[in-house]
Amino acid sequence: MPQSDVTGMIDSALRMTGVSGMFNILLTVVCIWLSWRGLQALRLESYLKDPKSGQAKLLLILVSIALGYLVARFVQDYMTWSGQIRLLF
């Protein structure tokens, strides 16, 4: 195999890895935003001592990040698994 073919294959693999990484970042940010919007619909104020405090806002941000990350990870895993199913046949 000529050197240029190997270099082209490596460049292609690196580019695909970069695109995958960018997609995963965007997916995670979108899922965090969606979880933030979804948590806004809940009436969490009744469960907090001071819902206007910085601590309450920090809690909402951290819960949004955790929930958004879990949803994004599920979508990523599902896409990976569905791609692997075709290898069975």
Side-chain angles (χ1 to χ4, degrees):
M1 195 181 298
Q3 181 68 22
S4 62
D5 288 345
V6 172
T7 305
M9 288 172 46
I10 291 172
D11 287 343
S12 177
L14 290 174
R15 189 170 316 279
M16 287 178 61
T17 302
V19 169
S20 175
M22 183 61 72
F23 174 77
N24 288 337
I25 289 171
L26 290 174
L27 176 66
T28 302
V29 169
V30 167
C31 287
I32 290 171
W33 179 77
L34 288 173
S35 67
W36 171 266
R37 297 291 296 169
L39 288 173
Q40 296 293 315
L42 295 176
R43 296 226 177 242
L44 297 175
E45 299 87 27
S46 60
Y47 299 107
L48 301 172
K49 289 181 187 177
D50 185 12
K52 303 267 188 216
S53 70
Q55 290 174 331
K57 293 184 190 310
L58 177 63
L59 177 65
L60 187 59
I61 290 170
L62 291 176
V63 170
S64 296
I65 290 171
L67 183 61
Y69 173 79
L70 289 172
V71 170
R73 190 69 222 171
F74 170 76
V75 172
Q76 292 167 7
D77 285 343
Y78 186 81
M79 288 171 47
T80 300
W81 297 332
S82 63
Q84 291 172 344
I85 285 177
R86 67 182 169 88
L87 300 174
L88 283 173
F89 305 105

